[in-house]
Each structure stands twice: as structure tokens, then as C-alpha cells.
């Protein structure tokens, strides 16, 4: 059985979600740049560090970030998510470098941490294991918030994320959609990769909880 929620991010921290509403995420009201930059230079992030070393480097970048102690477990979950992204795009430096811009990712994590924390708690409070939720991410941009949540939330409780942004092209399941210059690149979601056996597969199937785009 499927259901969805609705909640505006502006009242996330002061309201209780109820079944039958739509669950909508929008971080625009907390979209404030951190007062300082927490990302420093890093040697070749694609080949120079092991995943463990990369994770340690990430921890150092956010050790003094706003909310680091308040949302400690969420920060750790999110850093693990970033490492998983790196694994996903290994062998495709073009996509990885487009997604992992150091300053941008740290900024997105700082802004998203309170929302991620709230959604984690909301899911923990749901007792009905027979129902899954659809989460709508408004003004999603590239979808960093949903990308974090896809790696963190339990698959048995969330069916999918719908990333809504006017910059997406209109996705067509039957044909390959040609991206225009004004469209946001979605290769990190719908792009393809080739495994060691030479077989081509889509990144779409590699996300723990599917990400869909919508205009």
C-alpha cells in the first residue's frame, strides 16, 4: 500500500506529520551560506585517496561546521553517503567532478542536516511496515538533499523521491531525452556506466531508493 505526506519545510521543526498529507521537502527557507568555508584543498580525489582516507578527510572538513555536534549522527550518515557517491561514480570522473565540488557539497550538507535529522526521526516514528512513502523534493536543484536521504533512509519505508525543479528536462521513459543548454545535467541520476564485464547499466538503478526528476 502506498501513501504520501505533505509538510512545508518552514514548519518542519514545530509540527507533527499526519498520514494522508503530501510529504514535501524544500530547503529554500534555510538556504543560507555558511559564514566560512570548511572545505580545503584536497589531492586528487578520484585516485589519490582510498575511500577510508577520503572519509577521514571529509570528517576534517566539517569538524567545526554549524550543527556538527547537534546533528552528529546525521553528519556521519551523510559523510558515508558522500563516500557511496564516490564509489558509484568511480571510473566516471566527469560525473563525479560535476557532483563533488568541495565547497558546494559541504554547504549542501550544512544546510540539509536539520532536514535530514527531522526526516530520519519521522521515519523512525512510523510503525506501519506495510506502507511506503513518496518524498517530494521541491526546488531540488541537482538533488543533493534527496541524494543524502536515498543513502540514509530505510528502503522498506520509502518508495521513491521526486525531485522537482524547473531546470530539469521532461523525462521520457520510452526515449532518450535530449538535454538542451538550459537544462540541468542529470547524468548522476540517469547516466550510464559500464561494468568490468563491459555491460552497460544506468546509475538510476544504483540508488538505494530511486530518484525521479520532474519539471
Amino acid at each position: 500500500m502506498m501513501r504520501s505526506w505533505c509538510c512545508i519545510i518552514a514548519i518542519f521543526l514545530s509540527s507533527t506529520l499526519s498520514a494522508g498529507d503530501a510529504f514535501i521537502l524544500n530547503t529554500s527557507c534555510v538556504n543560507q551560506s555558511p559564514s566560512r568555508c570548511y572545505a580545503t584543498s584536497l589531492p586528487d580525489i578520484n585516485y589519490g585517496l582510498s575511500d577510508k582516507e577520503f572519509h577521514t578527510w571529509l570528517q576534517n572538513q566539517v569538524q567545526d561546521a554549524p550543527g556538527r555536534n547537534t546533528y552528529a549522527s546525521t553528519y556521519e550518515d551523510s559523510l558515508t553517503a558522500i563516500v557511496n557517491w564516490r564509489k558509484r561514480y568511480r571510473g566516471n570522473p566527469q560525473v563525479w567532478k560535476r557532483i563533488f565540488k568541495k565547497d558546494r557539497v559541504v554547504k549542501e550538507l550544512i544546510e540539509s542536516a536539520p532536514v535530514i535529522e527531522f526526516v530520519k526521526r519521522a521515519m523512525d516514528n512510523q510503525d506501519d511496515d506495510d506502507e511506503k512513502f513518496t518524498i517530494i523534493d521541491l526546488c531540488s536543484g541537482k538533488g543533493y538533499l534527496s541524494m543524502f536521504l536515498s543513502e540514509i533512509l530505510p528502503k522498506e519505508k520509502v518508495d521513491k523521491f521526486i525531485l522537482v525543479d524547473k531546470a530539469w528536462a521532461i523525462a521520457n521513459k520510452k526515449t532518450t531525452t535530449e538535454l538542451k543548454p538550459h537544462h540541468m545535467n542529470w547524468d548522476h541520476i540517469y547516466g550510464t556506466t559500464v561494468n568490468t564485464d563491459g555491460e552497460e547499466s544506468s546509475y538510476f538503478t544504483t540508488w538505494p531508493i530511486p530518484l525521479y526528476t520532474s519539471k
Side-chain angles (χ1 to χ4, degrees):
M1 181 177 179
M2 300 292 300
R3 65 176 176 177
S4 58
W5 286 351
C6 180
C7 183
I8 303 303
I9 190 61
I11 57 174
F12 256 18
L13 301 181
S14 61
S15 63
T16 302
L17 297 179
S18 58
D21 295 328
F23 190 10
I24 301 178
L25 302 179
N26 186 336
T27 58
S28 60
C29 63
V30 293
N31 187 24
Q32 300 178 359
S33 299
S35 59
R36 49 187 282 203
C37 175
Y38 294 92
T40 58
S41 60
L42 176 68
D44 192 331
I45 57 176
N46 298 294
Y47 308 107
L49 299 177
S50 68
D51 289 333
K52 183 177 181 179
E53 290 170 332
F54 180 65
H55 184 271
T56 300
W57 177 84
L58 288 173
Q59 289 178 316
N60 292 333
Q61 306 316 299
V62 300
Q63 62 182 351
D64 297 321
R68 180 65 176 91
N69 295 326
T70 303
Y71 308 113
S73 64
T74 289
Y75 266 88
E76 286 304 316
D77 290 343
S78 299
L79 297 183
T80 299
I82 296 172
V83 174
N84 288 339
W85 303 349
R86 185 178 189 244
K87 294 177 181 178
R88 177 173 292 110
Y89 302 122
R90 181 167 287 129
N92 193 337
Q94 184 177 7
V95 173
W96 171 240
K97 289 179 180 179
R98 184 184 298 123
I99 290 301
F100 189 79
K101 298 182 185 299
K102 299 186 292 292
D103 296 358
R104 176 64 181 274
V105 170
V106 172
K107 174 179 176 291
E108 292 287 344
L109 174 52
I110 291 171
E111 295 173 352
S112 298
V115 183
I116 297 171
E117 179 80 11
F118 179 88
V119 177
K120 284 170 55 181
R121 292 182 181 181
M123 291 297 165
D124 288 341
N125 291 332
Q126 301 307 307
D127 297 326
D128 194 337
D129 294 332
D130 295 329
E131 296 184 318
K132 286 190 173 183
F133 297 90
T134 294
I135 298 180
I136 303 173
D137 186 352
L138 294 181
C139 301
S140 65
K142 290 184 181 296
Y144 285 101
L145 174 57
S146 292
M147 289 163 63
F148 281 124
L149 290 171
S150 176
E151 302 281 0
I152 293 171
L153 295 181
K155 292 185 289 185
E156 64 272 13
K157 292 189 177 182
V158 181
D159 181 61
K160 61 187 173 184
F161 295 91
I162 301 178
L163 284 59
V164 181
D165 198 285
K166 65 180 182 180
W168 294 123
I170 297 176
N172 189 322
K173 294 182 179 179
K174 295 182 180 180
T175 61
T176 301
T177 302
E178 180 181 356
L179 296 182
K180 304 297 184 181
H182 63 281
H183 288 145
M184 187 157 48
N185 189 292
W186 59 20
D187 285 350
H188 59 296
I189 299 175
Y190 299 127
T192 58
T193 182
V194 178
N195 63 24
T196 55
D197 296 325
E199 299 173 336
E200 189 176 89
S201 61
S202 172
Y203 287 125
F204 179 80
T205 62
T206 68
W207 289 95
I209 302 173
L211 307 175
Y212 293 85
T213 60
S214 180
K215 195 171 178 66

